[in-house]
Amino acid sequence: MIDDRWQAAYGTNEPDTAKWPDLRAWIRAQHDAGRRVLLWFKAWDPDGLDPELTLRDPSGRPVATDPGNPAYLAELRRQVHRMLAPDGLDADGFKVDFTQRAPSGRMLAASPGSGADDGVWGLAALHRLVGALHAAAHEAKPDALVVTHTMHPSFAPVTDMIRLNDVLERDVAGALVPVQDQLRFRHAVAHAVLPDHPIDTDQWPMPDRASWLAYAEAQPELGVPALYYVDSIDGSGERVQPRDLDRIARSWRAYRTGLRRRRA
């Protein structure tokens, strides 16, 4: 997974060549090593896009992409082809983030040609955006993987995996909540809503090393494990030890063994 800030601009999804001088070659090297590569995709961000493809505030400033505009959807399709197709970067799918930032407010102006006045707004607009991304991804690469945190039954046809999203430090009353308890609760909700979708168990942010290890070792029994830490824990500054990564490796081996048994 190549996470946030690989792009020069969020709205255009061109690689930042100062960080990735030849991203296509790097992805090819991962394929040669038997790995697949997902790219982080920031939903709604208009950064770098033609303002005619965006929703704008009263001053004319772009605030979000406009999935009600067929011209934006065509641009999104071109971008996805460039990112996933064999003649492009040849990546293998997307981790879609920031879907919660759907535009709202009476003062926003739709772009010319937009269908916003016909009801493409709110959840419907998000569904159109994610659906267009998903369709374009599978058109460019039939076995693409699109991971979202759109935990709603209507999104079942337009997402391939559900992500549990970032961990919270406290509950609404201000009490500390153990991160592994959050993992189990969110998994139960996701499985109830979309029971046939695999679940990306996520892993950030972690408050300390002990909590991280408890979370990591609970992941394989609940969904697809993810690893965000190999050097230190951002919440506490504690260093990750080689023995910690050995524990992670053992739990991942057990996860793979369980997959093979289920397939058999």
Side-chain angles (χ1 to χ4, degrees):
M1 166 67 65
I2 304 179
D3 219 296
D4 190 6
R5 299 181 187 273
W6 67 268
Q7 309 101 317
Y10 288 133
T12 59
N13 292 294
E14 292 279 2
D16 182 340
T17 54
K19 299 173 181 175
W20 298 95
D22 192 344
L23 183 53
R24 174 178 166 80
W26 188 87
I27 291 173
R28 183 171 60 247
Q30 301 310 305
H31 289 168
D32 291 344
R35 306 184 186 105
R36 299 195 185 193
V37 178
L38 301 185
L39 300 175
W40 185 85
F41 179 89
K42 188 178 183 184
W44 299 115
D45 201 308
D47 181 30
L49 278 178
D50 182 338
E52 295 297 306
L53 305 180
T54 68
L55 295 163
R56 285 160 283 171
D57 67 14
S59 71
R61 180 180 64 91
V63 298
T65 59
D66 184 4
N69 187 339
Y72 169 67
L73 298 181
E75 168 61 19
L76 178 62
R77 183 171 175 268
R78 285 191 291 270
Q79 291 183 22
V80 171
H81 182 93
R82 188 174 65 241
M83 289 185 277
L84 301 194
D87 59 351
L89 295 176
D90 200 22
D92 301 291
F94 299 111
K95 173 185 175 180
V96 183
D97 211 345
F98 285 91
T99 51
Q100 78 278 12
R101 291 192 176 181
S104 63
R106 293 179 178 271
M107 301 300 291
L108 295 183
S111 55
S114 172
D117 292 337
D118 298 324
V120 186
W121 200 247
L123 190 63
L126 176 60
H127 194 282
R128 182 170 294 186
L129 173 61
V130 173
L133 180 75
H134 184 268
H138 285 271
E139 178 183 290
K141 182 165 286 186
D143 63 347
L145 178 68
V146 178
V147 184
T148 71
H149 43 67
T150 52
M151 207 174 295
H152 188 282
S154 69
F155 285 81
V158 297
T159 187
D160 303 314
M161 181 182 289
I162 291 296
R163 174 182 165 222
L164 296 186
N165 215 338
D166 299 343
V167 174
L168 302 175
E169 183 179 358
R170 297 176 184 272
D171 66 14
V172 292
L176 290 169
V177 180
V179 291
Q180 64 270 30
D181 290 355
Q182 295 185 48
L183 169 65
R184 294 183 186 282
F185 179 83
R186 291 183 183 193
H187 173 271
V189 173
H191 184 67
V193 173
L194 292 166
D196 298 322
H197 282 61
I199 294 174
D200 172 1
T201 53
D202 232 311
Q203 203 190 65
W204 184 86
M206 292 287 115
D208 52 59
R209 177 170 161 268
S211 298
W212 166 63
L213 285 169
Y215 191 102
E217 292 188 324
Q219 287 174 292
E221 67 181 89
L222 298 174
V224 180
L227 181 64
Y228 278 57
Y229 299 91
V230 294
D231 297 310
S232 62
I233 307 302
D234 46 6
S236 64
E238 296 168 278
R239 299 293 299 177
V240 172
Q241 302 299 320
R243 64 179 180 275
D244 301 333
L245 296 177
D246 288 341
R247 287 173 63 177
I248 302 295
R250 285 195 297 272
S251 70
W252 283 35
R253 282 195 294 270
Y255 168 76
R256 293 190 184 99
T257 299
L259 285 181
R260 288 193 292 269
R261 287 174 179 165
R262 286 194 291 274
R263 288 169 181 160

